[in-house]
Amino acid sequence: MNILMLSATFPYPPTRGGTQVRTFNLLKYLSQNHTITLVTQRDRDVTDAEIAGLEDCVDHLVVFDRPPESGTNGGIVKKIQRLSQFWLQGTPPSVLTRYSSEMQAWIDRVVEEGKYDVMTCEHSVNEIYVRSHFQKHLKTIVNVHSSVYGTCLNQLTSGVSENVLRDKINLPLLRRYEQKYCSKFSAIVVTTEEDKIQLQEFNSKSHIAVIPNGVDFVTFPYRTTDPHGHKLVFIGAMDNLANIDAVCFFGNQVLPEIQKYYPDTTFDIVGSRPTQEVLALRTQPGITVTGRVPSMVDYLHKATVCVVPMRTGFGIKNKTLEAMAAGVPVVASDRGLEGLAVDGDNIPLAALRANQTAEYIDAIKQLFEHPQLRAELSHNGRQLVETEFTWQIAGQRYEEVCIKK
């Protein structure tokens, strides 16, 4: 088939973050059997070498410059203007900021020319480029990495919203938006059953497929030795709200309590684009904020335990899968373990679950004190990922959605 993939986020190198990892690995799989045209946008930090690298992965690469930032801050007048626009047009400001009229004109033209059999939107932010009548010309698929309505609702209910008043106003607008845009597509893909249930509520007749994320085992090989010690690590893009909340919660509330038992405990926060709020954590004993690093797996292999203390954010977490693939014992919240069967009756224990400070302390103490428990989680976590969460499996399922009539 001729497949047109839309990704306003430049998906290369795949180490940039969750959205890029999923997009890159799915296009890499589909390109084995199909002709892939990828339409994407170039941010200022995307290099010519990275464009050349991505060109090698697809048959045709079409790159547009990302539109200039109109800004999401500003005074009260600007905020009222953005809210009014959201209310009237039905599209969130976060989607509009990536909209390119040039890219739209190109997409409109090739769809009308009938060049493609399937169009995929890699992340819901790309839905803005898909017109309702496109379904008459080709199959349209939206790959929803996480429900925007579900995420906003979760942030409000879990108390981690940056702006409660804004999110309360936005919540019904996001519900209306998600319901409307999903109706434009022939098929919907999500990463977890939770998101499927959420979107099925809006679109009861829609075909919704659950396709979890995977792990690249070359990038995240299984470690051969246990480093012992009292070294904790968190990995992820550090300009992401859910990640910022997670490390601030852990660094401020959990780590000091653990250091009362193990004073030499360290906590590495590994990921690109750390915000000022994250950088401020460096003043605390034992905390290192690395920024972007050449290889996350090096930090994982040196850690005694990987923590995933997410309090918000829907979908399967790449960071959890990557830590398990690398053989690092994981302590994570319900959010950090979403979509993963890691404990319970007749399920091999593959991670320890914690949501409150006391639960994190107890779980981490267990792992610090018991090498055999670390070995058990290391082995079972790797087995779980190898069995259920490979990009080969995800790619096969995505291909099935693409070719299904």
Side-chain angles (χ1 to χ4, degrees):
M1 295 186 301
N2 285 326
I3 301 176
L4 177 63
M5 303 182 78
L6 310 183
S7 177
T9 303
F10 193 83
Y12 191 87
T15 52
R16 282 178 177 266
T19 299
Q20 291 93 327
V21 169
R22 184 171 173 87
T23 301
F24 176 78
N25 282 284
L26 292 178
L27 75 82
K28 185 178 173 184
Y29 181 88
L30 291 177
S31 67
Q32 297 176 80
N33 301 313
H34 307 282
T35 302
I36 305 297
T37 297
L38 175 67
V39 188
T40 188
Q41 291 179 2
R42 176 180 188 167
D43 289 294
R44 282 176 296 179
D45 64 343
V46 173
T47 66
D48 290 341
E50 288 170 343
I51 289 178
L54 186 55
E55 276 181 322
D56 290 339
C57 303
V58 295
D59 296 278
H60 307 289
L61 178 64
V62 182
V63 182
F64 292 88
D65 288 332
R66 181 174 180 177
E69 288 282 356
S70 57
T72 54
N73 297 313
I76 186 67
V77 174
K78 289 285 187 184
K79 291 178 180 177
I80 292 172
Q81 286 175 344
R82 288 195 295 271
L83 178 59
S84 300
Q85 189 177 30
F86 188 6
W87 184 270
L88 293 171
Q89 294 186 4
T91 305
S94 58
V95 176
L96 292 171
T97 58
R98 297 220 71 144
Y99 183 72
S100 161
S101 56
E102 284 184 290
M103 187 165 156
Q104 181 73 72
W106 188 93
I107 292 167
D108 288 345
R109 178 174 58 80
V110 298
V111 170
E112 291 295 331
E113 289 172 354
K115 290 186 174 182
Y116 300 97
D117 305 300
V118 179
M119 169 190 284
T120 73
C121 284
E122 301 305 319
H123 198 290
S124 58
V125 72
N126 299 283
E127 66 75 24
I128 194 170
Y129 294 104
V130 178
R131 304 190 190 277
S132 297
H133 70 267
F134 281 5
Q135 286 191 58
K136 298 175 184 177
H137 299 272
L138 75 175
K139 183 167 188 175
T140 53
I141 300 168
V142 61
N143 189 353
V144 181
H145 291 207
S146 62
S147 163
V148 290
Y149 168 78
T151 299
C152 183
L153 179 63
N154 173 249
Q155 288 173 354
L156 285 169
T157 54
S158 59
V160 301
S161 170
E162 278 187 314
N163 187 324
V164 174
L165 178 59
R166 178 201 64 195
D167 287 348
K168 283 184 175 179
I169 294 171
N170 282 346
L171 191 63
L173 301 180
L174 289 171
R175 182 186 179 95
R176 183 184 68 178
Y177 163 71
E178 199 153 62
Q179 185 171 19
K180 184 178 179 182
Y181 89 67
C182 282
S183 67
K184 296 190 298 185
F185 291 91
S186 314
I188 300 169
V189 171
V190 295
T191 63
T192 67
E193 285 291 338
E194 190 170 2
D195 266 349
K196 179 178 180 178
I197 293 166
Q198 177 70 71
L199 295 182
Q200 203 93 61
E201 243 184 73
F202 301 157
N203 306 270
S204 58
K205 296 180 181 178
S206 295
H207 171 69
I208 303 178
V210 178
I211 302 178
N213 288 336
V215 177
D216 180 347
F217 295 122
V218 175
T219 306
F220 292 92
Y222 188 68
R223 73 182 183 190
T224 54
T225 58
D226 179 344
H228 302 277
H230 305 131
K231 196 171 183 64
L232 305 173
V233 69
F234 176 93
I235 61 172
M238 290 320 307
D239 59 350
N240 174 277
L241 172 62
N243 290 345
I244 295 167
D245 174 76
V247 297
C248 288
F249 159 70
F250 190 86
N252 290 321
Q253 298 185 38
V254 182
L255 182 65
E257 297 301 315
I258 293 170
Q259 288 171 332
K260 290 178 181 178
Y261 298 93
Y262 311 96
D264 64 337
T265 300
T266 61
F267 180 37
D268 288 340
I269 300 170
V270 183
S272 59
R273 304 179 298 276
T275 63
Q276 286 303 315
E277 193 176 359
V278 175
L279 291 171
L281 292 171
R282 294 180 299 185
T283 61
Q284 298 190 34
I287 296 183
T288 300
V289 179
T290 68
R292 187 174 178 180
V293 296
S295 172
M296 283 191 173
V297 77
D298 290 344
Y299 285 85
L300 285 170
H301 282 176
K302 293 173 185 174
T304 321
V305 176
C306 178
V307 293
V308 191
M310 314 300 290
R311 300 194 294 179
T312 185
F314 271 44
I316 285 183
K317 308 300 181 291
N318 283 341
K319 57 178 65 65
T320 307
L321 295 177
E322 289 163 355
M324 288 180 172
V328 187
V330 170
V331 175
S333 63
D334 291 340
R335 277 276 160 249
L337 295 172
E338 185 183 344
L340 307 178
V342 299
D343 52 13
D345 295 339
N346 303 315
I347 296 174
L349 184 64
L352 297 186
R353 193 178 298 269
N355 291 291
Q356 305 301 322
T357 298
E359 294 170 339
Y360 280 103
I361 295 168
D362 181 60
I364 291 167
K365 284 176 68 178
Q366 286 188 58
L367 287 168
F368 279 175
E369 296 291 339
H370 299 102
Q372 189 54 44
L373 179 60
R374 294 199 300 272
E376 180 184 355
L377 264 58
S378 174
H379 175 267
N380 291 345
R382 175 71 181 202
Q383 286 293 110
L384 175 65
V385 176
E386 285 184 352
T387 306
E388 298 184 30
F389 299 99
T390 70
W391 287 119
Q392 176 80 9
I393 295 170
Q396 287 173 347
R397 292 179 183 173
Y398 203 38
E399 185 178 41
E400 289 169 8
V401 173
C402 289
I403 65 179
K404 188 175 182 180
K405 298 295 183 183

